[in-house]
Amino acid sequence: MEHQSEILSATSGFIILALLAVLWIYLGIYWGRKAKSVDGFMLAGRNVGLAFGTATAMATWVTSNTTMLAPQFALELGIWGMIAYSTAAFGLFLFAPLAKRIKQLMPAGYTSGDFIRLRYGKRVWYVFLVISIFYGFTWLVSMGMAGGILMNALSGIPYPIGMTVILLVCIMYTLFGGLYAVIGTDYIQSLVIIVGIVLLGASVLYSIDLNQVYADIKVEKPMLLKVMLPASLMAVFNNLLFGVGEVFHSNVWWSRAFAMRKAIGQKAYLLAGLFWFPVPIAAGFIALTSSTLGINIPSPDMVGPLMASHILGEAGAVIVFIVFFCSLASSIDSLLAATSDLIVEDIYKKMIKPAAQEKEIRKVSMYVIIGIGVLAWMVCLPRIGTLASVLFFAGPLVTSTIYPIAMGLFWRSASANGAFWAMVLGSATGLVAYFTIGWYTASLIGASVSIVVTFVFSQWQPEQFDWKKLDESKL
Amino acid sequence: MCRPIFSIAAQFVFMPHLQWIFLIALISFSQSVWASNLPIPIFTNNPIEQTESGHVKLSWKVPNSSSSAAPWVFELQKSNDPNFSSAVQLYRGPDLATFLSGLPNGNYFYRVRTSIRGEAHSDWSPTILVKVKHHSLSLALWLFGIGATVFLLTVGIVVQGAVSTSKNQ
């Protein structure tokens, strides 16, 4: 354990952890009472309104990515790093029109995999499932790790215990309530996150002399203030496109688009993007004050919780603990539910047992949630890298799917061959960039190759796709 | 023979300043023994670290010691020359790592030692060298330009698609 100067005692940490665990599990059971049918469990009855829709999209996007990676970005890449992170809001902004289109074309759809299968056929569907499940799993692992790191940084709770508890709590309430529980808890969690971030931002501005912060960075970390810092310049659009790729392809966002009432999706995603946009800047800025406050940062992914708890003191550390726990839980639960839907709907129901009944599907969903959780726990245990390195490995894979999805939803001419080669070549070249240049270029390269390939095939081998084929209920 | 010894003992007991001298001597002796016994930390990084992004994590450990015991305070120094003629203290505390970022191009030397109460300390660890050479700016600007183009095209695809489909309805 590299960090040995915690703010809270381990006992306090365990008490807060126990209280949060009981609260979320109770709320999960409470909201999950409605989840009687498969549509209820997987898609919250397809009846989610604007307030819950906005809150769940915003809370899910405020994840370990935001509360812990945004400060890491600022610490590693400076001013550009904060801005780069906030550009991930474009993922939500650009998905807003897609959500409307998805609901129009696939009123009875369940997953993003359904769209790829119906639009491009099985060959592209297999590649997409590999990418999507791999990404979902990587995201889950990064958040399990973030939970362990967070609790260790704030209260000295050993990493394996913190990581295990947060995964266990989320698995339990997702099991009980499905998407109803996920969206309900997301609503509360989004309120806690917003209040916490505002409190934190105000405290930082009140307690720190910004001129001193600037002077200290100029002496100790001068490159963080440079507009022309090469790694940061590379990261800006890399992160933006990674955010777009994450939202466009992931079933976490598609399942919400299916779950929201007609005409709600577009507004909810636009509002969620607006609410989310300032959060990484507020969370990221505090990382730049570490020199002024003389706080040692043993690992870049610990900078967020460490700085927040030092600025707010012992009582503040409790608030930080709760806010960060909520931000992690709101994403872990969404991911467990959405990945399980993808596996159950696309693999079990479509490939293994098409005749499966509702009761059986519900049972399989629960086994899958437990299975994913256990597998993620096993991968989290050795703490294989920093959060950024784990998450961004999936970057080129997800950005390679942006154009097969965007063009596939709007262009009849987008072809299956184009989608297939865009995903394969985009992923491959992006991974080469990941290993040869750095993680901050991989998503950008993957997206660039994908857009060219999808476009070239749409002109060279155009299809004339019939949109009616996407509505399986009428086939 | 016994009489002089008793005499010295009696003087010691009844003369408080002698007690203080003895106590200070005892503490100094124990500190010098402790100092010589303080373990020298070692970096777990490579002897030469290279970075193209200006950030690096330095970690160290105390050989043959479990980190959870950790009774020591560590002092980390940085210098631009291997002799540490212009050394700057970067960190002093119980942590076993530190993350450095925002470093300009150049060579930086680091060393660490253990200490107790700022008085006794071990010898310095073997030095490590961090070489910072940022990516070329032209490569960064190229990638920035490609990223901006891809982003604008993406916005164009989505907006044009949304507008045309809403017109068709």
Side-chain angles (χ1 to χ4, degrees), chain B:
Chain B
M1 280 293 287
C2 290
R3 186 174 289 267
I5 293 170
F6 279 125
S7 165
I8 291 166
Q11 278 183 345
F12 181 79
V13 170
F14 294 109
M15 295 178 71
H17 64 277
L18 277 182
Q19 291 172 22
W20 279 111
I21 290 167
F22 177 76
L23 194 62
I24 290 165
L26 190 67
I27 290 170
S28 304
F29 174 73
S30 67
Q31 276 189 346
S32 67
V33 170
W34 203 350
S36 62
N37 285 338
L38 277 177
I40 302 169
I42 52 168
F43 283 105
T44 55
N45 300 73
N46 297 320
I48 299 176
E49 290 279 353
Q50 302 202 15
T51 169
E52 290 179 302
S53 48
H55 55 76
V56 65
K57 178 179 168 179
L58 300 181
S59 307
W60 53 88
K61 65 178 183 180
V62 176
N64 306 319
S65 165
S66 76
S67 61
S68 57
W72 304 293
V73 166
F74 299 96
E75 290 176 22
L76 175 71
Q77 280 192 346
K78 169 191 169 184
S79 176
N80 293 331
D81 66 89
N83 300 320
F84 285 81
S85 53
S86 56
V88 176
Q89 183 171 290
L90 285 185
Y91 172 65
R92 190 168 185 286
D95 293 345
L96 292 162
T98 195
F99 183 76
L100 306 167
S101 63
L103 297 169
N105 283 343
N107 292 339
Y108 305 93
F109 298 88
Y110 297 89
R111 63 185 184 182
V112 64
R113 68 181 178 185
T114 47
S115 76
I116 290 181
R117 292 193 302 274
E119 295 161 357
H121 49 74
S122 71
D123 290 335
W124 288 105
S125 68
T127 301
I128 66 162
L129 167 62
V130 175
K131 291 183 168 182
V132 182
K133 187 172 186 297
H134 284 275
H135 290 290
S136 84
L137 191 57
S138 58
L139 172 68
L141 288 172
W142 263 107
L143 288 170
F144 187 85
I146 293 171
T149 310
V150 172
F151 167 62
L152 290 174
L153 289 172
T154 310
V155 173
I157 292 165
V158 172
V159 171
Q160 185 268 337
V163 170
S164 66
T165 50
S166 65
K167 273 182 188 167
N168 292 338
Q169 281 162 13

Side-chain angles (χ1 to χ4, degrees), chain A residues 310-364:
Chain A
H310 274 87
I311 289 166
L312 295 174
E314 199 171 339
V318 175
I319 298 172
V320 172
F321 196 115
I322 294 168
V323 169
F324 279 52
F325 186 96
C326 288
S327 71
L328 291 170
S330 63
S331 305
I332 294 175
D333 60 8
S334 305
L335 208 49
L336 283 169
T339 311
S340 125
D341 289 354
L342 199 63
I343 292 171
V344 173
E345 178 67 19
D346 285 68
I347 296 177
Y348 186 76
K349 200 175 159 193
K350 294 289 183 330
M351 295 184 196
I352 299 170
K353 202 170 179 187
Q357 298 299 305
E358 273 208 3
K359 203 173 172 186
E360 188 183 344
I361 289 173
R362 175 81 185 262
K363 207 164 150 187
V364 174

Side-chain angles (χ1 to χ4, degrees), chain A residues 23 35 83 90 120 159 217 270 290 379 424-425 430:
Chain A
L23 176 69
I83 296 168
F90 282 96
Y120 295 121
Y159 167 80
I217 296 173
L270 279 174
S290 61
V379 178
V424 172
L425 294 176

